[in-house]
Amino acid sequence: MALKDILVHIDDTPQCDKRVKIAIQLAKQNKAGLTALFARADPGLKGFEPNMAKRHQAHEALSEQIHGKYAKLAEKAGVELVWITAKLPSNLEQLMNQVIQQTQQADMIIVGQYDEKSASGSIPEEMPEHLVLESGRPVLIIPYAGDFKTVGKKAVVAWTPGRESVRALNDAIPLMTEAKKVKVIAINQKKKDKRPSGVTVDQAAAHLARHGIKVESDQFSTRGVDEGNLILNCLSDERADLLVMGAYGHHRLRQLILGGVTQKIFEHMTTPVLMSH
C-alpha cells in the first residue's frame, strides 16, 4: 500500500516538534499529503461558565500559532500541509472521538507516546493504544524520549503468524523501501507442529524481499527472558530506528485489554513503533 495521506496529531507538548518533523520527512519520502490535526481537551471547561468563549478563542489562537511554525517547515520540504483545528471539548472521551473520526481518511497515523512528566490533562493517557485498536489504520508512535533522524532505515519486524502481524508487516512496507537493513524476528516459533502454523519467519522475510527490501530473518527463544524485553534488546543490538509489530488486544466500552508484549512495548518503547491491529 502506498502512503498518500498521512495524519499527524498536533498538541502543545514539547515532543510535538519531533513527530511533526518525522511526519514531514515521511510525507516527502512517499510524495504524500500531510494532514495535521490540532486536538486537545480542556477538562476544566464547563458549558455555562462566563469565560467559555475566551477559552475557545485561546484554543483557536494557539492552533494558529503552532500552524504558522509547522507550515514553514512543510513548505520548505515541499510537502502539502492541510491543517485542521478540532473543536475544544471538555472531556477526553469527546477528544478521542474527534481524532478517530479524522483517521478514517488517512493511510497512516502518527502520534506521540504519552509522557506523564509533560502531561496537562488535555490528552488521554492511552490515546495511542485506542488509535491502534479502534482506528483501523496503522499507527506510528514516536517515543517522548530520544531523537530520531531517520525512520525505517534499520527496522526490526516482530513476526508471529497472525492477522495483526500480517497487517503490520504489509502496512510498514512503504516505510522500509529505502532501508539499509530489515530484520524479521520470530520468538518461540514452533518448528514441529502437526497443525499448519501459518507463514514462517523466513517466508515473511521472503515476502519483503520480493518488494525489493534488504532483509534477513532470525528466530529466538525466550529462555527466561520475557518476549517484550527480548524485542527491546534486539532493537538495541540492531541500532534500529523502527519496530514493526502487530498489536494484540481489544477494547470494551473504551476499556483497553492489551496483550503482555503489546503493553510492554507501549510502556518502554525506545524507538518509533508502527503497530497495526
Side-chain angles (χ1 to χ4, degrees), residues 18-262:
K18 186 189 309 184
R19 63 178 175 270
V20 171
K21 290 176 181 177
I22 289 173
I24 290 174
Q25 172 190 326
L26 293 177
K28 181 177 181 180
Q29 177 182 318
N30 289 274
K31 298 180 180 178
L34 178 62
T35 299
L37 174 64
F38 180 73
R40 54 192 282 275
D42 185 350
L45 187 65
K46 306 299 179 183
F48 299 101
E49 64 181 61
N51 64 346
M52 182 176 65
K54 290 184 177 179
R55 290 202 183 194
H56 283 281
Q57 290 170 3
H59 175 74
E60 295 283 343
L62 179 59
S63 177
E64 283 303 309
Q65 178 185 344
I66 298 173
H67 178 200
K69 177 174 64 172
Y70 294 145
K72 293 178 181 178
L73 293 178
E75 183 179 6
K76 185 177 180 180
V79 170
E80 179 186 356
L81 178 67
V82 175
W83 190 269
I84 299 175
T85 302
K87 292 182 178 180
L88 182 65
S90 60
N91 63 71
L92 299 179
E93 179 80 11
Q94 292 174 354
L95 174 63
M96 278 306 313
N97 289 336
Q98 288 178 338
V99 177
I100 288 174
Q101 287 173 7
Q102 292 295 333
T103 65
Q104 295 175 358
Q105 59 184 3
D107 295 321
M108 185 179 72
I109 309 159
I110 300 178
V111 67
Q113 179 192 23
Y114 181 80
D115 180 11
E116 62 180 13
K117 292 181 180 179
S118 63
S120 62
S122 62
I123 303 297
E125 179 177 352
E126 296 177 326
M127 186 166 77
E129 292 92 325
H130 281 294
L131 288 175
V132 170
L133 295 182
E134 297 181 51
S135 69
R137 294 290 186 266
V139 181
L140 180 64
I141 307 150
I142 311 302
Y144 61 77
D147 293 313
F148 311 101
K149 295 181 179 179
T150 62
V151 174
K153 299 299 182 183
K154 290 185 178 181
V156 170
V157 179
W159 175 257
T160 60
R163 176 180 62 85
E164 293 86 350
S165 191
V166 171
R167 280 210 55 190
L169 180 81
N170 283 275
D171 288 339
I173 287 175
L175 302 184
M176 302 188 296
T177 54
E178 299 180 6
K180 297 178 180 178
K181 179 183 178 181
V182 173
K183 190 167 188 174
V184 185
I185 64 170
I187 301 173
N188 296 334
Q189 188 167 36
K190 296 179 181 179
K191 296 182 179 180
K192 297 180 181 180
D193 193 333
K194 295 180 181 180
R195 297 172 299 174
S197 57
V199 170
T200 67
V201 65
D202 294 333
Q203 291 171 319
H207 174 66
L208 293 181
R210 284 189 284 272
H211 282 271
I213 295 172
K214 298 177 182 178
V215 61
E216 62 183 50
S217 61
D218 205 349
Q219 299 186 46
F220 298 94
S221 174
T222 54
R223 294 181 181 177
V225 180
D226 71 79
E227 295 184 17
N229 279 329
L230 197 153
I231 292 172
L232 292 171
N233 290 340
C234 185
L235 290 173
S236 177
D237 292 342
E238 296 294 325
R239 296 183 179 180
D241 63 2
L242 176 67
L243 169 64
V244 177
M245 63 179 288
Y248 292 84
H250 62 278
H251 65 93
R252 184 179 302 147
L253 298 177
R254 283 280 159 87
Q255 180 183 6
L256 294 175
I257 303 174
L258 299 174
V261 177
T262 303

